[in-house]
Amino acid sequence: MFGLASARMFPKNATVFAAIKSSARLSTPVAPIASLLKMRNASLFHSSSISRIGKPFPNPQEVPTLPSSKSVITEETISRMMSAALVPILGVSFLYGPQPINDLLLGIVFPIHAYIGISSSITDYTHKRRYPKLNFLFTWMLNIGTLIALYGCWVINTTDVGLTAFVQKLWNAKSTKQIE
């Protein structure tokens, strides 16, 4: 076995110095190795096929760029502003109790804050290029859920006691009969 392979890889009258001189003529990635070994078949060093796991990603030049209004920096800035806005709103709710203006702000800022946080999770874990249908489904579920949450907060604030008083009633309730 070794005799047959060595006869194919090393011809009888080849020297290493002659192989080094002829290495400039070959243009393959294995040119230095093939020329040193004076191989007639350089494909012995290549694999038979390229194996990839999952779907291939598209060429980066073909992927559209996001406009500046949808960029990560803008979304991160808005997320930080919503988080910073929740601190005084929740502080006023805890210190002064139910206030109509505070309940209105809490009913707007909290669902938007939750939307941005869950949206970043969807973006991180269901890539649009790799899972387009799943990303589309989760994004629309989030959009509809956020609209329902905004509508629910508006209904509680306008027809019921307000968000802060509603949370106080839930917190202090001993049984389900007292909530009604």
Side-chain angles (χ1 to χ4, degrees):
M1 181 162 121
F2 291 112
L4 182 62
S6 64
R8 191 171 5 134
M9 291 172 48
F10 300 105
K12 293 178 183 174
N13 55 2
T15 63
V16 176
F17 296 111
I20 292 173
K21 288 180 186 176
S22 65
S23 66
R25 285 184 268 146
L26 298 173
S27 63
T28 62
V30 293
I33 298 170
S35 63
L36 285 174
L37 299 176
K38 279 296 195 183
M39 291 179 50
R40 294 195 174 98
N41 190 1
S43 66
L44 294 174
F45 287 108
H46 296 287
S47 64
S48 60
S49 66
I50 298 172
S51 62
R52 291 187 178 148
I53 298 173
K55 296 179 183 177
F57 286 109
N59 190 0
Q61 285 81 18
E62 297 173 4
V63 177
T65 58
L66 295 173
S68 62
S69 64
K70 301 272 184 181
S71 70
V72 176
I73 297 170
T74 305
E75 186 175 327
E76 188 174 324
T77 304
I78 292 172
S79 174
R80 288 181 182 172
M81 288 184 349
M82 291 294 156
S83 298
L86 275 175
V87 173
I89 293 172
L90 290 174
V92 168
S93 294
F94 287 131
L95 293 176
Y96 295 110
Q99 301 290 327
I101 298 294
N102 195 34
D103 286 343
L104 175 71
L105 291 175
L106 190 62
I108 293 171
V109 172
F110 185 72
I112 293 173
H113 171 73
Y115 172 82
I116 291 172
I118 297 172
S119 171
S120 65
S121 296
I122 290 172
T123 303
D124 288 343
Y125 294 110
T126 58
H127 302 288
K128 192 171 188 175
R129 290 184 287 173
R130 193 161 198 140
Y131 309 106
K133 292 178 183 176
L134 200 59
N135 186 312
F136 180 79
L137 175 72
F138 286 163
T139 303
W140 275 101
M141 285 173 54
L142 176 64
N143 291 341
I144 292 169
T146 303
L147 289 176
I148 291 171
L150 283 168
Y151 178 73
C153 290
W154 178 75
V155 167
I156 289 173
N157 282 333
T158 56
T159 61
D160 205 6
V161 293
L163 282 176
T164 308
F166 185 74
V167 171
Q168 283 179 348
K169 283 172 67 174
L170 286 176
W171 191 269
N172 296 328
K174 302 282 189 230
S175 66
T176 56
K177 293 179 184 177
Q178 191 176 357
I179 295 175
E180 299 172 351

